[in-house]
Amino acid sequence: MGKGKVSRDDWTMAALRALARGGVAAVAVDRLAREMGVTRGSFYWHFADREALLVAALETWELRATTEVVAAVRALDDAWARARALFAEALGSEEIADLEPALATQTSHPAIAEVVARVTEARLAFLAEVFTDLGFGPQDARHRALAAYAAYLGWLELRRTAATLAPETQLQDPGSSAALDHLVAMILTPAEPPTPSAPAAGSTRA
């Protein structure tokens, strides 16, 4: 395959797939070139070096998995529709399976740490915005944003490491849709005020 038949995007997606399966060490130019059936020279047509490829791949992930998702969801008119669409997108199909859990383990690399921090900040801010639009106060919206993001990360980790123990996290499982609906309902349902506990038998109140 000639260099003109492999685009910059082809290289960045190949790098993201490598990150998902083996971390930074798996982003090896020669190996990626062999996988795509091109020469090493094709790589230098698009990138100065391996680090430039890694940065471009991470920027692609940030754009597709956060920036574009936020823009699409924010364009919806109804607050509840925005919330449902966000969680359906986040917990639905993964363009590259296991990529996000893999990135979370590679933050010792400065480029990954920077992008993961930026993505996390943007996602938490947008989640808080979604909950604010649903009528929650600032502190409650922030707390729900944290809980929702923790649930999202945990769901992906279960999908990656516990396929047999938590089959509902697998998209092809018959129970996955109902499990996702239940999770979203739990996250979006307003908290009820706690019911005062009845005094224990034989106790008195001052």
Side-chain angles (χ1 to χ4, degrees), residues 110-168:
I112 293 180
E114 179 180 347
V115 174
V116 167
R118 194 163 62 232
V119 163
T120 300
E121 181 179 21
R123 289 175 173 179
L124 286 173
F126 185 59
L127 280 165
E129 177 185 322
V130 166
F131 286 117
T132 298
D133 290 344
L134 289 172
F136 295 100
Q139 186 177 48
D140 200 7
R142 170 66 179 179
H143 290 168
R144 283 176 177 267
L146 291 170
Y149 198 56
Y152 163 73
L153 295 176
W155 194 271
L156 293 185
E157 186 64 15
L158 280 174
R159 181 180 290 173
R160 184 177 72 91
T161 63
T164 57
L165 297 175
E168 298 89 348

Side-chain angles (χ1 to χ4, degrees), residues 33-117:
R34 286 195 301 272
E35 290 176 357
M36 292 189 290
V38 298
T39 65
R40 186 182 178 89
S42 171
F43 170 78
Y44 291 108
W45 181 257
H46 299 289
F47 301 98
D49 52 32
R50 174 178 174 273
E51 190 68 15
L53 170 62
L54 182 60
V55 170
L58 292 168
E59 289 175 347
T60 295
W61 169 66
E62 179 181 17
L63 175 66
R64 295 186 180 183
T66 301
T67 307
E68 291 180 350
V69 171
V70 168
V73 171
R74 190 175 274 147
L76 299 174
D77 292 333
D78 180 71
W80 282 101
R82 285 195 293 275
R84 287 191 293 268
L86 176 60
F87 289 110
E89 175 67 25
L91 294 170
S93 60
E94 297 174 87
E95 186 172 10
I96 298 177
D98 300 335
L99 176 57
E100 297 213 12
L103 290 176
T105 69
Q106 298 287 307
T107 52
S108 58
H109 189 287
I112 293 180
E114 179 180 347
V115 174
V116 167

Side-chain angles (χ1 to χ4, degrees), residues 171-192:
L171 294 171
Q172 68 275 17
D173 186 83
S176 64
S177 179
L180 281 174
D181 288 344
H182 182 72
L183 177 63
V184 171
M186 287 179 62
I187 292 170
L188 296 180
T189 300
E192 296 182 359

